Amino acid sequence: MRLARTISTTPGWIQDEHYECDPNQGFGLHLLHEEEDHSLPVFLFSWLPGRGTPAHNHKTWGVVVGLDGEESEFLRERLDDGSKPGFADLKRVGERKLTVDTMSSFLGDDIHTVRNDGERTTLSLHTYGMHINYTGRTRFDPELKTASDYVVTVKD
Ligand SMILES: [Fe+2]
C-alpha cells in the first residue's frame, strides 16, 4: 500500500506516543482528525501483543491500512435476525491478515475481531464514516451469545 509505506517511512509522521496503548482495553486509539459533526475521523490504533478487540460491528463504513506489524482479523456473520435485545448468534466465516501491504474495509453491519498475535506493539491507520463512539455500535460475545453497547477509550 503506497499510503501505508509513505506514512511508515516518513520521518516524524509516527510518534513514539502513537505506540501507547490502554492496558485495560488492550489497544490505544489516537484521534488524528474528525469533522465537527464527528464524521470522517482518522485514528492511529496501537495494539498490544496478544491483545485485541471483542467481536464488534461499527455502524459506519471503515477503511484500515497496516503501518507497522501484522494484525489478525477474524470475520463473523450474524445468524439471528437481531430482534431479541442483548442476544446475538454469530458464526465465524473467515480470517485475514493486515500488514503494511494490505488493507481492510467494511460496512456498518460487518462484524469482526482484531488481534495482535505478534510479540511487539503494532500500528494501523483507520478511517471511518463516523467516529465509532457516536454510531451506537455493538460488541458481541460469540460464546455467551450476547450483544451490548461498545464504546472505546480514545486519546486526543
Ligand atoms: Fe473494528
Side-chain angles (χ1 to χ4, degrees), residues 103-120:
M103 63 167 282
S104 169
S105 62
F106 42 80
L107 297 174
D109 288 328
D110 293 342
I111 298 170
H112 71 173
T113 303
V114 178
R115 201 171 66 211
N116 175 5
D117 291 322
E119 295 180 353
R120 63 186 183 86

Side-chain angles (χ1 to χ4, degrees), residues 10-50:
T10 300
W13 207 98
I14 296 175
Q15 310 284 324
D16 289 346
E17 67 184 44
H18 292 145
Y19 284 87
E20 292 172 6
C21 296
D22 179 332
N24 291 321
Q25 65 183 359
F27 53 91
L29 277 82
H30 305 266
L31 181 62
L32 303 181
H33 171 81
E34 72 174 320
E35 298 294 315
E36 282 186 17
D37 63 356
H38 303 297
S39 65
L40 296 176
V42 179
F43 296 99
L44 272 177
F45 269 63
S46 50
W47 303 89
L48 286 170

Side-chain angles (χ1 to χ4, degrees), residues 78-125:
R78 197 160 182 167
L79 298 172
D80 67 304
D81 64 5
S83 63
K84 188 175 167 188
F87 175 82
D89 190 11
L90 306 182
K91 71 171 178 178
R92 202 153 129 175
V93 295
E95 179 178 347
R96 56 191 177 196
K97 299 289 186 189
L98 185 75
T99 71
V100 73
D101 292 315
T102 62
M103 63 167 282
S104 169
S105 62
F106 42 80
L107 297 174
D109 288 328
D110 293 342
I111 298 170
H112 71 173
T113 303
V114 178
R115 201 171 66 211
N116 175 5
D117 291 322
E119 295 180 353
R120 63 186 183 86
T121 300
T122 62
L123 274 186
S124 47
L125 183 74

Side-chain angles (χ1 to χ4, degrees), residues 45 47 53 56-58 73 106 112 114 126 128 137 150:
F45 269 63
W47 303 89
T53 68
H56 62 273
N57 61 23
H58 305 85
E73 184 182 11
F106 42 80
H112 71 173
V114 178
H126 299 229
Y128 300 97
R137 68 188 185 138
Y150 188 30

